[in-house]
Amino acid sequence: MEPNKVQPEGGLNVTLTIRLLMHGKEVGSIIGKKGETVKKMREESGARINISEGNCPERIVTITGPTDAIFKAFAMIAYKFEEDIINSMSNSPATSKPPVTLRLVVPASQCGSLIGKGGSKIKEMRESTGAQVQVAGDMLPNSTERAVTISGTPEAIIQCVKQICVVMLESPPKGATIPYRPKPASTPVIFSGGQAYTIQGQYAIPHPDQLTKLHQLAMQQTPFTPLGQTTPAFPGLDTSPPASTHELTIPNDLIGCIIGRQGTKINEIRQMSGAQIKIANAMEGSSDRQITITGTPANISLAQYLINARFRDVAAMWNDPSSMTTS
């Protein structure tokens, strides 16, 4: 949200930018058939409404304009969500109507002002508007922003947003803000009947042939025995092909994209390939790290393919800065 002036009477006379975080279904509701709903919202409110691109489970909706236009746009979104809730209840046995919920994305440096000393400000907002307001304790991934969740009736939400805007304009962000950019969904890969599939929505879509062929090769040969399981299934008989070792050298500044957050990516590659993968510690004075892959030739090929695929994904993000996140 951009800082600006506040009128002495406490009213707003500014141009604002507010960012909302929405799930795919909510975004679909806002866009409407052939974009008709969002077009109507733009025309009737006078606000600019932009929706981030990308195949992500979450999207950023940015609303910019004079305060009156912003609040009209917010009202239209809140009432649209309430309409969706009412429509969904017509096919549901539930009798109590759930509240409308919106999530704002706010610089973390402004969250202290929203909460107030000892929680006084957020308590005041809850009591005066009737809306529930929650400020997330943690920052959104790879950003310096937090989610502020507002729940209640459309009327309560609109009043609450007005109060939040006043507080944020009076307390501009401190320092640079790294905006939150939703991360594309990491599509799981499933192997069945010798074919690799990725899950898209409710459907399993065949994965590229190269990955399927590598997986078939790996499955034709007994995977390398996992660490700690040294006894063959049949004592005295071990039909596993001899394990071999392959080494890769990776620049230090790229190793993070192979490891992933808390080791998630490297663990996926280990599980899918059946290979053991060890990453050497950084050596002083060296700009590279050594990766050692151990397993059958097929295991090693699949591990190499998955590592290269990870590099391609990251390279694609660099080529498209709007989608760039660290994962």
Side-chain angles (χ1 to χ4, degrees), residues 224-268:
F224 185 70
T225 308
L227 197 62
Q229 296 179 10
T230 54
T231 310
F234 301 98
L237 177 65
D238 185 2
T239 57
S240 303
S244 55
T245 298
H246 183 79
E247 291 190 343
L248 296 173
T249 302
I250 306 289
N252 266 332
D253 54 358
L254 291 179
I255 203 73
C257 75
I258 295 298
I259 295 171
R261 186 184 294 276
Q262 296 179 333
T264 51
K265 293 298 173 188
I266 194 69
N267 285 337
E268 279 177 19

Coordinates of all heavy atoms in Angstrom, one line a residue, residues 224-268:
F224 N 19.0 -49.2 -6.2 CA 20.2 -49.3 -5.3 C 19.6 -49.4 -3.9 O 18.7 -48.7 -3.5 CB 21.0 -48.0 -5.4 CG 22.3 -48.1 -4.6 CD1 23.3 -49.0 -4.9 CD2 22.4 -47.3 -3.5 CE1 24.4 -49.0 -4.2 CE2 23.6 -47.3 -2.8 CZ 24.6 -48.2 -3.1
T225 N 20.2 -50.3 -3.1 CA 19.7 -50.5 -1.7 C 19.8 -49.3 -0.9 O 20.9 -48.7 -0.8 CB 20.5 -51.6 -1.0 OG1 20.6 -52.8 -1.9 CG2 19.9 -52.0 0.3
P226 N 18.7 -48.8 -0.3 CA 18.8 -47.6 0.5 C 19.7 -47.8 1.7 O 19.9 -48.9 2.2 CB 17.3 -47.4 1.0 CG 16.5 -48.2 0.1 CD 17.4 -49.4 -0.4
L227 N 20.3 -46.6 2.1 CA 21.2 -46.6 3.2 C 20.6 -47.3 4.4 O 19.5 -47.0 4.8 CB 21.6 -45.2 3.5 CG 22.8 -44.9 4.4 CD1 24.0 -45.4 3.6 CD2 23.0 -43.5 4.7
G228 N 21.3 -48.2 5.0 CA 20.8 -48.9 6.2 C 20.2 -50.2 6.0 O 19.9 -51.0 6.9
Q229 N 19.8 -50.5 4.7 CA 19.2 -51.8 4.4 C 20.2 -52.6 3.5 O 20.2 -52.6 2.3 CB 17.9 -51.5 3.6 CG 16.8 -50.8 4.3 CD 15.6 -50.6 3.5 OE1 15.5 -51.1 2.4 NE2 14.7 -49.8 4.0
T230 N 21.1 -53.2 4.2 CA 22.2 -53.9 3.5 C 21.9 -55.4 3.2 O 22.6 -56.0 2.4 CB 23.5 -53.8 4.3 OG1 23.2 -54.3 5.6 CG2 23.9 -52.3 4.5
T231 N 20.9 -55.9 3.8 CA 20.6 -57.4 3.6 C 19.8 -57.6 2.4 O 18.7 -57.0 2.3 CB 19.9 -57.9 4.9 OG1 20.6 -57.5 6.0 CG2 19.8 -59.4 4.8
P232 N 20.2 -58.4 1.4 CA 19.4 -58.8 0.3 C 18.1 -59.4 0.7 O 18.0 -60.1 1.8 CB 20.2 -59.7 -0.6 CG 21.6 -59.5 0.0 CD 21.5 -59.1 1.4
A233 N 17.1 -59.3 -0.1 CA 15.8 -60.0 0.2 C 15.9 -61.5 0.4 O 15.3 -62.1 1.2 CB 14.7 -59.7 -0.9
F234 N 16.8 -62.1 -0.4 CA 17.1 -63.5 -0.3 C 18.5 -63.7 0.0 O 19.4 -63.4 -0.9 CB 16.7 -64.2 -1.7 CG 15.3 -64.1 -2.0 CD1 14.9 -63.1 -3.0 CD2 14.3 -64.8 -1.5 CE1 13.6 -62.9 -3.3 CE2 13.0 -64.7 -1.8 CZ 12.6 -63.7 -2.7
P235 N 18.9 -64.2 1.2 CA 20.3 -64.3 1.6 C 21.0 -65.1 0.6 O 20.6 -66.2 0.1 CB 20.2 -65.0 2.9 CG 18.8 -64.7 3.5 CD 17.9 -64.6 2.3
G236 N 22.2 -64.6 0.2 CA 23.1 -65.4 -0.7 C 22.7 -65.1 -2.2 O 23.4 -65.5 -3.1
L237 N 21.6 -64.4 -2.4 CA 21.2 -64.1 -3.8 C 20.9 -62.6 -3.9 O 20.0 -62.1 -3.3 CB 20.0 -64.9 -4.2 CG 19.4 -64.6 -5.6 CD1 20.4 -65.1 -6.6 CD2 18.1 -65.4 -5.8
D238 N 21.7 -61.9 -4.7 CA 21.5 -60.5 -4.9 C 21.5 -60.2 -6.4 O 22.6 -60.3 -7.0 CB 22.6 -59.7 -4.2 CG 22.3 -58.2 -4.3 OD1 21.3 -57.8 -4.9 OD2 23.1 -57.4 -3.8
T239 N 20.4 -60.0 -7.0 CA 20.3 -59.8 -8.4 C 20.4 -58.3 -8.8 O 20.3 -58.0 -10.0 CB 18.9 -60.3 -8.9 OG1 17.9 -59.6 -8.2 CG2 18.7 -61.8 -8.6
S240 N 20.7 -57.4 -7.9 CA 20.8 -56.0 -8.2 C 22.0 -55.8 -9.2 O 23.1 -56.4 -8.9 CB 21.0 -55.2 -7.0 OG 20.0 -55.4 -6.1
P241 N 21.9 -55.0 -10.2 CA 23.0 -54.7 -11.0 C 24.0 -53.9 -10.1 O 23.7 -53.3 -9.1 CB 22.5 -53.7 -12.1 CG 21.0 -53.9 -12.0 CD 20.7 -54.3 -10.6
P242 N 25.3 -54.0 -10.5 CA 26.3 -53.4 -9.6 C 26.1 -51.8 -9.6 O 25.8 -51.2 -10.6 CB 27.6 -53.7 -10.4 CG 27.3 -54.1 -11.7 CD 25.9 -54.7 -11.6
A243 N 26.2 -51.3 -8.4 CA 26.0 -49.8 -8.3 C 27.3 -49.1 -8.9 O 28.4 -49.6 -8.8 CB 25.9 -49.5 -6.8
S244 N 27.0 -48.0 -9.5 CA 28.1 -47.1 -10.0 C 27.9 -45.7 -9.4 O 26.9 -45.4 -8.8 CB 28.1 -47.1 -11.5 OG 26.9 -46.7 -12.0
T245 N 28.9 -44.9 -9.6 CA 28.9 -43.6 -9.1 C 29.2 -42.5 -10.1 O 30.0 -42.8 -11.0 CB 29.9 -43.4 -7.9 OG1 29.6 -44.4 -6.9 CG2 30.0 -42.0 -7.4
H246 N 28.4 -41.5 -10.1 CA 28.6 -40.4 -11.0 C 28.7 -39.1 -10.3 O 28.0 -38.9 -9.3 CB 27.4 -40.3 -12.0 CG 27.6 -39.2 -13.1 ND1 28.4 -39.4 -14.2 CD2 27.1 -38.0 -13.2 CE1 28.3 -38.3 -14.9 NE2 27.5 -37.4 -14.3
E247 N 29.6 -38.2 -10.7 CA 29.8 -36.9 -10.0 C 29.5 -35.8 -10.8 O 29.8 -35.8 -12.0 CB 31.3 -36.8 -9.4 CG 31.6 -37.8 -8.3 CD 32.9 -37.5 -7.7 OE1 33.7 -36.8 -8.2 OE2 33.1 -38.0 -6.5
L248 N 28.8 -34.8 -10.2 CA 28.5 -33.5 -10.9 C 29.1 -32.4 -10.2 O 29.2 -32.4 -8.9 CB 27.0 -33.3 -11.0 CG 26.1 -34.3 -11.7 CD1 24.7 -33.9 -11.5 CD2 26.4 -34.2 -13.2
T249 N 29.5 -31.3 -10.9 CA 30.0 -30.1 -10.2 C 29.0 -29.0 -10.5 O 28.7 -28.7 -11.6 CB 31.4 -29.7 -10.8 OG1 32.3 -30.8 -10.5 CG2 32.0 -28.5 -10.0
I250 N 28.5 -28.4 -9.4 CA 27.4 -27.4 -9.5 C 28.0 -26.1 -8.8 O 28.5 -26.1 -7.7 CB 26.2 -27.8 -8.7 CG1 25.7 -29.2 -9.2 CG2 25.1 -26.8 -8.8 CD1 25.1 -29.2 -10.6
P251 N 27.8 -24.9 -9.5 CA 28.2 -23.7 -8.8 C 27.4 -23.5 -7.5 O 26.3 -23.8 -7.4 CB 27.7 -22.6 -9.9 CG 27.7 -23.3 -11.2 CD 27.2 -24.7 -10.8
N252 N 28.1 -22.9 -6.5 CA 27.6 -22.7 -5.2 C 26.3 -21.9 -5.3 O 25.3 -22.2 -4.5 CB 28.6 -21.9 -4.3 CG 29.4 -22.8 -3.5 OD1 29.0 -23.9 -3.2 ND2 30.6 -22.3 -3.2
D253 N 26.2 -20.9 -6.1 CA 25.0 -20.1 -6.1 C 23.8 -20.7 -6.8 O 22.7 -20.2 -6.7 CB 25.2 -18.7 -6.8 CG 25.8 -18.8 -8.2 OD1 26.0 -20.0 -8.7 OD2 26.0 -17.8 -8.9
L254 N 24.0 -21.9 -7.3 CA 22.8 -22.7 -7.9 C 22.4 -23.9 -7.0 O 21.4 -24.5 -7.3 CB 23.1 -23.2 -9.3 CG 23.3 -22.1 -10.4 CD1 23.6 -22.7 -11.7 CD2 22.0 -21.3 -10.5
I255 N 23.2 -24.2 -6.0 CA 23.0 -25.4 -5.3 C 21.6 -25.3 -4.5 O 20.9 -26.3 -4.3 CB 24.1 -25.7 -4.3 CG1 24.2 -27.2 -3.9 CG2 24.1 -24.8 -3.0 CD1 24.6 -28.1 -5.0
G256 N 21.2 -24.1 -4.1 CA 20.0 -24.0 -3.4 C 18.8 -24.4 -4.1 O 17.8 -25.0 -3.6
C257 N 18.8 -24.2 -5.5 CA 17.6 -24.6 -6.3 C 17.5 -26.1 -6.4 O 16.4 -26.7 -6.7 CB 17.6 -23.9 -7.6 SG 18.8 -24.6 -8.8
I258 N 18.6 -26.8 -6.2 CA 18.6 -28.3 -6.3 C 18.2 -28.8 -4.9 O 17.4 -29.8 -4.8 CB 20.0 -28.8 -6.6 CG1 20.5 -28.4 -8.0 CG2 20.1 -30.4 -6.4 CD1 19.6 -29.0 -9.1
I259 N 18.6 -28.2 -3.8 CA 18.2 -28.7 -2.5 C 16.8 -28.3 -2.2 O 16.0 -29.2 -1.7 CB 19.2 -28.0 -1.4 CG1 20.6 -28.5 -1.7 CG2 18.7 -28.4 0.0 CD1 21.7 -27.8 -0.8
G260 N 16.3 -27.1 -2.5 CA 15.0 -26.7 -2.2 C 14.8 -26.3 -0.7 O 15.7 -26.6 0.1
R261 N 13.6 -25.8 -0.4 CA 13.3 -25.4 0.9 C 13.4 -26.6 1.9 O 12.6 -27.5 1.6 CB 12.0 -24.7 1.0 CG 11.6 -24.1 2.4 CD 10.2 -23.5 2.3 NE 10.2 -22.4 1.4 CZ 10.5 -21.1 1.7 NH1 10.9 -20.8 2.9 NH2 10.4 -20.1 0.8
Q262 N 14.2 -26.5 2.9 CA 14.3 -27.6 3.9 C 14.6 -29.0 3.2 O 14.2 -30.0 3.7 CB 13.1 -27.7 4.8 CG 12.9 -26.4 5.6 CD 11.7 -26.5 6.5 OE1 10.7 -27.2 6.2 NE2 11.7 -25.7 7.6
G263 N 15.3 -28.9 2.1 CA 15.7 -30.2 1.4 C 14.6 -30.9 0.6 O 14.7 -32.0 0.2
T264 N 13.5 -30.2 0.4 CA 12.3 -30.8 -0.3 C 12.6 -31.3 -1.7 O 12.3 -32.4 -2.1 CB 11.1 -29.9 -0.3 OG1 11.5 -28.6 -0.9 CG2 10.5 -29.6 1.1
K265 N 13.3 -30.5 -2.5 CA 13.6 -30.8 -3.9 C 14.6 -32.0 -4.0 O 14.3 -32.9 -4.8 CB 14.2 -29.6 -4.6 CG 13.2 -28.5 -4.8 CD 11.9 -28.9 -5.6 CE 10.9 -27.8 -5.6 NZ 9.6 -28.3 -6.2
I266 N 15.7 -32.0 -3.2 CA 16.6 -33.1 -3.3 C 16.0 -34.4 -2.8 O 16.3 -35.4 -3.4 CB 17.9 -32.7 -2.5 CG1 19.1 -33.7 -2.9 CG2 17.7 -32.7 -1.0 CD1 19.6 -33.5 -4.3
N267 N 15.1 -34.3 -1.8 CA 14.4 -35.5 -1.4 C 13.5 -36.1 -2.4 O 13.4 -37.3 -2.6 CB 13.7 -35.2 -0.1 CG 14.6 -35.1 1.1 OD1 15.7 -35.6 1.1 ND2 14.2 -34.4 2.2
E268 N 12.8 -35.2 -3.2 CA 11.9 -35.6 -4.3 C 12.8 -36.4 -5.3 O 12.4 -37.4 -5.8 CB 11.3 -34.4 -4.9 CG 10.1 -33.9 -4.2 CD 9.5 -32.7 -4.9 OE1 9.8 -32.4 -6.1 OE2 8.8 -31.9 -4.2

